[in-house]
Amino acid sequence: MASKPPRDNDLEAILEKVRQVRNFDFRNYKRATLQRRIERRMNATRCRTRGAYLALLEREPNEINTLVSSMLIKLTTFFRDPEVWVSLEKVLKELARKRRPDQELRIWSAGCATGEEAYSIAIAAAEALGPGMPGPELKVFATDVDEAAIAFARRGVYTAQQLEGCSKERLARWFTPSSGGHTVRKEIRRSVVFGVNNLVSDAPVSRIDLILCRNVFIYLDADLQKRVLARFHFAARREGILVLGRSELIPFAARLFEPVDLPRRIYRKDGRQEFALAPPEPLPVPDPPSPAHVLATVNAQDTQRNFLRGIIDSQICPIIVTDAEGTVKLTNQAATRLWSRSEAELAGKRLASLGLPGLNPDLLVEQTARVRVGRSEREVADGVLETPGAEPTTLRAQVVALRTATGETQGLIYVAHDVTSLRGLEQSFQRATEELNAANLRLQTSNEELRASNEELETTNEELQSANEELQTTNEELQSTNEELETTNEELQSTNAELDATNRELAHRTHEMDALAFSQRTIIRTLSAGVIVLDAQGRISTWNLAAERLLGLTEREAVGQVLWTLNVPALARAVQMRIRKHLSENRSLRQEEISYQLPHGGRGRATLVATPLIMDSTLLGAIILFEDTTRASALAQENRELKERLKK
């Protein structure tokens, strides 16, 4: 027996966190698929290790919702795989022909995602039922574990891309145009009932004529596949139809259902298997009552029930007692402790539908059927009970029948034993046996070598089948990613065209602005008056050649400095403070006949004008003009003196 891969504690902790927060149990999903989904989210969130990603889940609960959505792949379209739908249309016509006038045609679309497949089967069934349909005769139950996907499906609005698989005739007949694309007609929407349902833990829909569950099993491990198939077998009517995905070739399905079209994965519930699994009709109980009869009637006799409860509670092994139909009647305290469920949660429910971990699905279905009909006295099967934070527990469960004196089955008893230690001894014994076999293999003839080669080929074939399932899953992911990339590429092309046009416009505007800035700077530098431009904090951004000549500081010394902190020989401190006060009050200042010290010595006269630059009540800065009026003042003085002499 191949050993299980070593446990990844961080991975198990992530799955346990998802189960606690969202009540999604992914522990029995295929590890390779889960690892790819988690690693994709780790790359998106830039987490280097799974431990770091687990810490992120603790901090950001919304990331758990994103992780669950990435694990639940919703790759589906209308009438996907046309060859399968051709066969399904024939099956639906046969079901419609065999249906009684007062009987519903009941269909279950399990794992319906966003509803495309559920509406597709409803349309095909309505066409098979004939004109005037669908009416109350058609009922399609569409279920999925994702509440957001179910909410989307209930709206029944799909884009043209989602409807590519739908023919023009069906599009015109069963859809109406709407602003969001096309809406499914009310006649079809009324016949489809959407609901949230977990195939593993929730009760299945019953009395189903056709079960459609495609591309769900490829994500489940072998034990979980068997458990869900057993639920489907219970839910289907006699000769009901089961349809799986093209990549889902499950040997256990052929043991419960009869293949109808194996290449397209269409099965029919085997009537013989139905008879073998069905409980026998209850028979009259002989008098006086036997011990088996006492247990079968325990519900009506309180004294005997308490006595029997004391007996089974005294046992240290978990015990579950059912009637002949598989309905739980009694459980002892060891069973309620082991599975952490009260007796009220277990009593009155089918044991096979409870999904108790550690109970092998084969034991609950096929082996129980052999005990019930008398082909075997007892059956035994092993299972593994996974416990978070602890090593797995190996359970060995056996089932025996409670029979009357005449040999009729009145009930069943299931007893579980913890054989973890025994299993370790068995594995040690197996390793010793394997070592002996290896020694014998070295002495075998060429015929035995050929047999060993054949076993290797069988192992390789199983690995190839597993790899093929993973490739199918990866292909679906790549298809979904490719569609997203195509959409993103179109958006990027459109955005790129807009950016090119914007860049050209910006380049033209930049060229104009550069030319304008050059002209402005040239004009300012050639003015005869000193020009000083300040920003809102008083920092100098412009200092022209005239300012260098008149004020005694070079442009390199002045630009970038705060004017009020500079020692400018031509501007007295009082003048600077007056300028600063007026600008802070958003007022202009004009001062004439300012006496200042010339750079080459002597005194001169100048006119100073300070103007604030204001936009929308916000001060952007200021411009200061400093114009030398020494010569003009001297000429004016000479003119006045000349006039006075002329008057004399």
Side-chain angles (χ1 to χ4, degrees):
M1 179 183 296
S3 61
K4 285 191 173 183
R7 288 170 58 88
D8 187 330
N9 293 332
D10 287 337
L11 176 62
E12 298 300 326
I14 291 173
L15 299 182
E16 178 62 20
K17 183 66 177 178
V18 172
R19 188 183 70 84
Q20 292 175 356
V21 177
R22 287 294 306 275
N23 198 27
F24 282 115
D25 192 349
F26 291 105
R27 290 176 296 179
N28 290 105
Y29 281 54
K30 291 183 177 177
R31 285 298 187 269
T33 301
L34 296 178
Q35 289 171 357
R36 285 196 299 271
R37 299 293 185 278
I38 292 173
E39 288 173 0
R40 180 176 297 175
R41 290 306 309 156
M42 287 172 58
N43 292 333
T45 55
R46 299 181 179 179
C47 292
R48 295 182 178 274
T49 64
R50 290 179 185 164
Y53 186 65
L54 180 60
L56 176 67
L57 295 180
E58 297 285 352
R59 296 194 308 270
E60 300 182 11
N62 288 335
E63 176 60 23
I64 296 180
N65 299 328
T66 306
L67 176 61
V68 171
S69 298
S70 69
M71 288 180 172
L72 301 174
I73 298 177
K74 305 174 186 66
L75 184 60
T76 179
T77 58
F78 278 86
F79 299 99
R80 186 180 180 186
D81 293 333
E83 295 180 359
V84 175
W85 284 97
V86 171
S87 300
L88 268 178
E89 289 170 0
K90 296 177 182 178
V91 170
L92 288 169
K93 289 179 181 178
E94 181 181 357
L95 291 175
R97 181 177 56 82
K98 292 181 178 180
R99 181 184 66 88
R100 297 193 307 272
D102 59 341
Q103 179 182 343
E104 284 184 338
L105 179 59
R106 296 168 64 87
I107 300 173
W108 183 11
S109 176
C112 67
T114 48
E116 287 91 331
E117 197 162 74
Y119 286 125
S120 298
I121 194 66
I123 290 172
E127 293 173 349
L129 289 170
M133 299 296 175
E137 299 84 358
L138 175 61
K139 192 68 67 179
V140 178
F141 301 92
T143 64
D144 198 273
V145 295
D146 192 343
E147 295 181 4
I150 290 295
F152 180 92
R154 285 196 180 104
R155 292 195 296 270
V157 180
Y158 297 95
T159 63
Q161 184 178 1
Q162 292 171 310
L163 291 165
E164 287 181 353
C166 193
S167 65
K168 294 182 179 179
E169 294 77 10
R170 281 174 169 161
L171 191 63
R173 181 178 180 185
W174 302 110
F175 295 85
T176 58
S178 62
S179 58
H182 287 78
T183 303
V184 182
R185 288 190 178 274
K186 291 189 294 185
E187 297 87 343
I188 293 295
R189 294 209 310 271
R190 278 197 296 263
S191 65
V192 183
V193 179
F194 288 99
V196 178
N197 181 278
N198 191 318
L199 296 179
V200 179
S201 58
D202 294 339
V205 187
S206 60
R207 297 181 293 113
I208 299 299
D209 296 292
L210 188 149
I211 301 174
L212 191 64
C213 183
R214 301 204 296 163
N215 299 325
V216 172
F217 286 87
I218 57 178
Y219 306 111
L220 312 180
D221 64 12
D223 290 340
L224 207 56
Q225 288 177 351
K226 291 180 180 179
R227 191 185 306 174
V228 175
L229 284 170
R231 288 170 177 257
F232 283 167
H233 188 275
F234 169 79
R237 280 176 171 160
R238 186 182 180 88
E239 297 187 355
I241 299 297
L242 171 66
V243 183
L244 303 178
R246 294 284 293 274
S247 61
E248 297 172 324
L249 183 60
I250 305 173
F252 188 71
R255 295 165 65 180
L256 292 180
F257 297 86
E258 177 186 2
V260 176
D261 189 345
L262 190 59
R264 293 168 180 81
R265 307 296 184 260
I266 300 177
Y267 302 85
R268 177 181 285 109
K269 187 173 180 179
D270 192 343
R272 295 168 297 177
Q273 187 72 12
E274 167 84 0
F275 180 79
L277 294 174
E281 295 294 328
L283 298 176
V285 180
D287 190 27
S290 65
H293 173 66
V294 172
L295 185 57
T297 58
V298 68
N299 288 326
Q301 303 178 15
D302 293 338
T303 302
Q304 294 173 343
R305 182 182 182 89
N306 293 334
F307 175 72
L308 291 173
R309 177 172 298 284
I311 293 175
I312 65 173
D313 280 342
S314 67
Q315 303 299 311
I316 62 174
C317 298
I319 298 175
I320 298 177
V321 182
T322 71
D323 60 13
E325 296 181 356
T327 302
V328 176
K329 295 300 182 183
L330 282 175
T331 56
N332 69 347
Q333 295 178 1
T336 58
R337 286 195 303 270
L338 177 64
W339 286 293
S340 300
R341 297 194 187 184
S342 64
E343 185 176 8
E345 293 178 296
L346 300 175
K349 298 179 181 177
R350 291 289 185 91
L351 180 60
S353 65
L354 288 173
L356 297 179
L359 290 183
N360 195 305
D362 287 340
L363 178 72
L364 299 179
V365 181
E366 290 186 330
Q367 293 174 265
T368 294
R370 288 197 291 269
V371 172
R372 184 188 292 123
V373 299
R375 294 206 302 267
S376 175
E377 287 298 324
R378 70 180 63 240
E379 290 286 338
V380 179
D382 290 349
V384 177
L385 175 62
E386 298 279 354
T387 304
E391 291 298 322
T393 301
T394 302
L395 294 181
R396 179 162 294 169
Q398 64 176 351
V399 56
V400 296
L402 293 171
R403 304 190 189 278
T404 64
T406 60
E408 298 297 331
T409 301
Q410 294 298 313
L412 297 164
I413 297 180
Y414 295 83
V415 182
H417 300 273
D418 184 352
V419 294
T420 306
S421 301
L422 178 60
R423 194 61 176 270
L425 294 175
E426 290 179 348
Q427 290 177 351
S428 299
F429 177 75
Q430 182 179 355
R431 284 194 294 269
T433 304
E434 289 174 353
E435 291 175 1
L436 290 175
N437 290 336
N440 290 332
L441 284 174
R442 288 192 292 269
L443 302 176
Q444 286 179 348
T445 61
S446 58
N447 184 45
E448 292 171 335
E449 293 175 357
L450 290 174
R451 184 185 307 169
S453 300
N454 187 46
E455 292 176 356
E456 292 177 2
L457 288 174
E458 290 179 356
T459 303
T460 303
N461 186 43
E462 292 177 358
E463 293 175 353
L464 289 174
Q465 289 180 356
S466 175
N468 184 50
E469 294 176 358
E470 294 183 1
L471 287 173
Q472 291 284 349
T473 304
T474 305
N475 186 42
E476 294 183 0
E477 296 174 3
L478 290 174
Q479 289 180 359
S480 177
T481 304
N482 187 45
E483 294 173 358
E484 295 175 0
L485 288 175
E486 289 179 355
T487 304
T488 305
N489 187 40
E490 293 176 358
E491 295 175 354
L492 288 175
Q493 289 179 352
S494 176
T495 304
N496 189 41
E498 295 176 0
L499 288 175
D500 287 343
T502 303
N503 286 336
R504 288 194 296 272
E505 180 67 20
L506 287 175
H508 179 68
R509 293 297 177 87
T510 301
H511 180 72
E512 292 180 348
M513 292 297 293
D514 289 343
L516 181 61
F518 177 76
S519 300
Q520 182 184 22
R521 182 174 177 80
T522 302
I523 292 171
I524 290 175
R525 289 181 65 83
T526 56
L527 290 175
S528 61
V531 179
I532 306 171
V533 180
L534 309 179
D535 62 13
Q537 286 74 38
R539 197 177 305 278
I540 299 170
S541 60
T542 301
W543 186 276
N544 72 343
L545 295 175
E548 291 183 355
R549 176 171 50 82
L550 296 174
L551 300 180
L553 292 179
T554 65
E555 181 179 15
R556 177 176 298 179
E557 293 172 332
V559 171
Q561 303 296 321
V562 177
L563 178 62
W564 331 121
T565 63
L566 286 177
N567 182 17
V568 182
L571 294 178
R573 179 61 57 183
V575 174
Q576 291 187 21
M577 292 300 102
R578 192 178 300 115
I579 296 172
R580 183 176 185 180
K581 179 179 179 182
H582 277 70
L583 294 180
S584 65
E585 297 174 354
N586 293 347
R587 292 188 301 151
S588 298
L589 172 66
R590 180 180 180 88
Q591 188 168 350
E592 299 179 351
E593 294 298 319
I594 297 176
S595 177
Y596 76 101
Q597 182 179 354
L598 296 173
H600 51 75
R603 306 296 294 181
R605 297 284 180 172
T607 298
L608 183 143
V609 179
T611 305
L613 302 177
I614 302 172
M615 177 180 289
D616 297 332
S617 301
T618 301
L619 179 64
L620 303 180
I623 182 169
I624 300 172
L625 299 179
F626 190 88
E627 185 176 4
D628 179 67
T629 59
T630 303
R631 183 174 179 77
S633 297
L635 290 174
Q637 181 64 29
E638 291 177 0
N639 188 36
R640 284 193 299 271
E641 293 176 354
L642 181 60
K643 287 181 179 180
E644 290 178 359
R645 285 197 300 268
L646 291 174
K647 288 179 180 180
K648 293 178 179 180

